[in-house]
Amino acid sequence: AVVSTQSTWASIHILRSLFGVDWEEIVQVIYAGDSAADEFAMEVLKGVAYTYKVINEDTTAITKTWANSRLQGPDAVLTMLKFLERKLSGRKIKTARQSSIASLESSKELLEVSY
């Protein structure tokens, strides 16, 4: 898990470098991961990002996760990204953090795609 720990902190360092130390107030982050190594990032990003556990295995087995929601495989990730693209297209970039993560959470039924 050393690599995942280093990459998680590297990602946060990049966000700080690009957007400043108050990046959490400026940028909204969505994180999707499918491995146990991604769980550290989801734990670190809890309350800062909206996170998805991508399930690539048997859906009858529920695994513990730090993620806000689960997506059933790569096709569901693509569906979620297309949904966000449609929802956010045409919006102006805001300089202060809005609560659209809460609106994503309220739209969770639309984002959780299963087969």
Side-chain angles (χ1 to χ4, degrees):
V2 173
V3 173
S4 68
T5 302
Q6 290 174 347
S7 62
T8 298
W9 293 119
S11 298
I12 290 174
H13 174 73
I14 291 168
L15 287 166
R16 284 183 183 149
S17 297
L18 290 173
F19 302 103
V21 292
D22 60 346
W23 67 270
E24 295 175 27
E25 301 300 318
I26 300 168
V27 179
Q28 294 179 351
V29 176
I30 296 173
Y31 186 97
D34 65 350
S35 70
D38 291 310
E39 287 297 321
F40 179 75
M42 291 180 201
E43 181 181 4
V44 170
L45 293 170
K46 194 74 172 170
V48 176
Y50 199 87
T51 57
Y52 293 94
K53 173 74 174 183
V54 181
I55 309 297
N56 291 316
E57 67 247 10
D58 180 12
T59 58
T60 60
I62 304 283
T63 57
K64 185 178 176 183
T65 182
W66 286 96
N68 298 101
S69 296
R70 299 169 197 265
L71 292 171
Q72 184 60 43
D75 290 339
V77 174
L78 180 60
T79 301
M80 179 266 299
L81 292 171
K82 286 180 178 180
F83 170 81
L84 288 174
E85 181 181 41
R86 284 191 311 271
K87 186 170 177 74
L88 299 174
S89 65
R91 283 189 169 185
K92 293 182 180 178
I93 296 174
K94 300 202 178 0
T95 56
R97 186 175 182 180
Q98 299 287 319
S99 61
S100 49
I101 287 181
S103 65
L104 281 176
E105 197 165 81
S106 67
S107 304
K108 193 169 21 175
E109 311 80 44
L110 297 174
L111 298 176
E112 289 186 29
V113 180
S114 60
Y115 301 102

